[in-house]
Amino acid sequence: MMMSIMHRITGFGLYFGTVLLAWWVNAAANPNGYARFQSFAGSWIGRFILFGYTWALIHHALGGLRHLIWDTGHGFGPSEREWLAAANLIGSITITLILWIVGLLAVGGPQ
Amino acid sequence: MTELKHIRTPLARVRGFGSAKSGTTAFWHQRVTAIANIPLTIAAVFIVITLLGRNQPAVAQTLGSPTVAVIMLLFIASITAHMRIGMQVIIEDYVHDDLAKLTLIVANSFFAAAVGLISAYGVLKLSFGL
């Protein structure tokens, strides 16, 4: 139940977050535009939004896998549902942290 | 059927309200794009991570390179199609006023198309070196 509404909420957030994707690929065309994007992405608020976006993306992707399993008619048992919900949450937090550790090692801490 | 209120059959009463031939189209497209999103998102996340901390010319060159550009274009197409359907479901679930609902559904389609095309334009521009 809780994971179901989280799937919807993360999808809602990801929807508006695609503006960042549009900004990023368009900013890459010129140095000034890219510097503006990087100063946003490197700021505390930028990092906070991107961290939240990463988690929403991974959580929604794992939640989507759960729905695809359900679409096949499997995973509806009480213990299976509990396990899938836990795996969804723990998996999303773990993968998000791993991605950010890798990412921060690549660029260093916030400027 | 506990009581018969009408002499007409249930089938007769719904006839003429339109066929359901495309009734599952959005449902199906949502699943097809969901499946496509899995490998495409993994690829896009990998691309983003490899570009972190790189300077603008390096990012422009990588994003514009054929393989990366095509992956990004597929990613953009799949996620924007997926999010348009998902947001329409949310609107239909929570907005019950007809005018508000229709307005939001149209705005949703415009937003998804705009984000998708602007993003695709950005990638293509890098790819063609314009």
Side-chain angles (χ1 to χ4, degrees), chain A residues 20-61:
Chain A
L20 294 173
L21 174 69
W23 183 17
W24 178 55
V25 296
N26 280 282
N30 70 85
N32 290 339
Y34 206 65
R36 273 195 299 276
F37 179 81
Q38 280 184 311
S39 72
F40 163 77
S43 69
W44 279 105
I45 183 73
R47 293 260 159 115
F48 179 75
I49 291 169
L50 290 170
F51 185 83
Y53 195 74
T54 310
W55 175 76
L57 182 67
I58 305 301
H59 190 85
H60 195 80

Side-chain angles (χ1 to χ4, degrees), chain B residues 3 11 20 30 37-38 52 70 77-79 84 88-89 106 112 120:
Chain B
E3 58 180 316
L11 179 62
Q30 190 69 334
N37 283 347
I38 297 166
L52 288 176
V70 170
S78 189
I79 62 166
R84 178 178 161 268
Q88 180 158 337
V89 171
V106 171

